Amino acid sequence: AQSVAQPEDQVNVAEGNPLTVKCTYSVSGNPYLFWYVQYPNRGLQFLLKYITGDNLVKGSYGFEAEFNKSQTSFHLKKPSALVSDSALYFCAVRDGGNYGGSQGNLIFGKGTKLSVKP
Amino acid sequence: DAGVIQSPRHEVTEMGQEVTLRCKPISGHNSLFWYRQTMMRGLELLIYFNNNVPIDDSGMPEDRFSAKMPNASFSTLKIQPSEPRDSAVYFCASSLKGVGKSNQPQHFGDGTRLSIL
């Protein structure tokens, strides 16, 4: 069964400092990994994805994520946080070996609230 | 480009009433998903369609919930009768799915905030 864990409910960072939002996953096959961001009263917006290839993936708004197969992790990072990055962040995983039926769906983590203070 | 469009954005109604939520997916997308988001349970997948056919409705909480997709550009999620515990934000998402396309991201609408009094 697929699963994804975001161990932190909230991450607090000072503006200008680097940020990391953690995500670990479990799938039976090769993972397809995604990060989404949700601003207040809005739907989830796609940030970046890892499918295959380079373990460091770059996405929107200066975010990047590093795929680590041995640690089954896909942490979201940004070198210098902005106050406008404050939002709810979701990690999601899909089993890359199955795209039909329910196993083809994304499994979302519970979300991590990122708060960036000036 | 128009994204996923949901209506209404807000709905307040009394328990026992029928509620219908609407979704227009992105043109060309062939998969459509209905999610429910609450503080307690986070984001839950209710049902998803592929090429207008319901594939997995195991997340639909009860028989009071039903979803339809009569054509590629429209879907509804209906709750009848509604109960206070159905209060949540309901999201619709769409994506392009098919052979070699399982890595396509889902695109979300801005949701319907439903309050059942």
Side-chain angles (χ1 to χ4, degrees):
Chain A
Q2 306 169 92
S3 66
V4 61
Q6 293 181 242
E8 303 152 317
D9 290 336
Q10 181 155 345
V11 171
N12 298 311
V13 178
E15 188 174 32
N17 283 0
L19 70 87
T20 299
V21 183
K22 295 179 180 177
C23 171
T24 58
Y25 67 90
S26 174
V27 297
S28 55
N30 291 322
Y32 290 172
L33 294 154
F34 300 78
W35 275 103
Y36 287 80
V37 60
Q38 184 181 27
Y39 298 100
N41 300 314
R42 300 297 303 276
L44 279 67
Q45 296 177 35
F46 169 71
L47 273 181
L48 52 78
K49 66 182 179 184
Y50 170 82
I51 305 301
T52 186
D54 194 347
N55 289 344
L56 186 64
V57 178
K58 294 186 183 297
S60 306
Y61 311 121
F63 283 92
E64 57 189 30
E66 186 167 11
F67 171 64
N68 187 316
K69 187 173 183 178
S70 63
Q71 297 185 4
T72 62
S73 67
F74 189 57
H75 301 331
L76 182 70
K77 300 181 179 183
K78 186 173 182 180
S80 178
L82 300 173
V83 173
S84 57
D85 292 330
S86 298
L88 192 57
Y89 290 81
F90 289 92
C91 182
V93 68
R94 173 187 292 141
D95 188 331
N98 294 284
Y99 54 82
S102 61
Q103 294 182 2
N105 292 324
L106 286 180
I107 303 298
F108 284 89
K110 291 190 176 297
T112 299
K113 183 178 179 180
L114 174 66
S115 178
V116 182
K117 301 294 186 185
Chain B
D1 288 343
V4 175
I5 300 172
Q6 292 187 245
S7 64
R9 287 297 314 276
H10 303 272
E11 175 87 17
V12 180
T13 191
E14 293 185 347
M15 66 177 293
Q17 297 298 307
E18 178 179 293
V19 173
T20 300
L21 311 181
R22 296 173 176 80
C23 175
K24 177 179 169 55
I26 292 174
S27 178
H29 282 188
N30 60 351
S31 289
L32 183 139
F33 306 80
W34 281 101
Y35 291 89
R36 177 171 68 178
Q37 186 178 36
T38 61
M39 291 290 291
M40 292 298 294
R41 293 189 297 271
L43 196 64
E44 304 172 277
L45 176 65
L46 300 178
I47 185 172
Y48 95 92
F49 296 82
N50 221 25
N51 296 317
N52 312 339
V53 176
I55 302 299
D56 183 2
D57 65 354
S58 60
M60 297 286 262
E62 301 173 32
D63 290 345
R64 299 184 295 106
F65 285 69
S66 63
K68 294 183 179 179
M69 192 164 185
N71 57 62
S73 59
F74 183 65
S75 177
T76 59
L77 178 67
K78 187 173 293 186
I79 308 172
Q80 166 63 15
S82 58
E83 296 182 3
R85 60 195 168 115
D86 301 331
S87 298
V89 181
Y90 290 81
F91 288 103
C92 177
S94 71
S95 72
L96 187 60
K97 185 173 278 190
V99 175
K101 293 182 170 63
S102 58
N103 56 358
Q104 297 302 309
Q106 295 180 15
H107 297 261
F108 284 74
D110 283 335
T112 295
R113 184 172 296 275
L114 178 64
S115 296
I116 309 297
L117 306 177

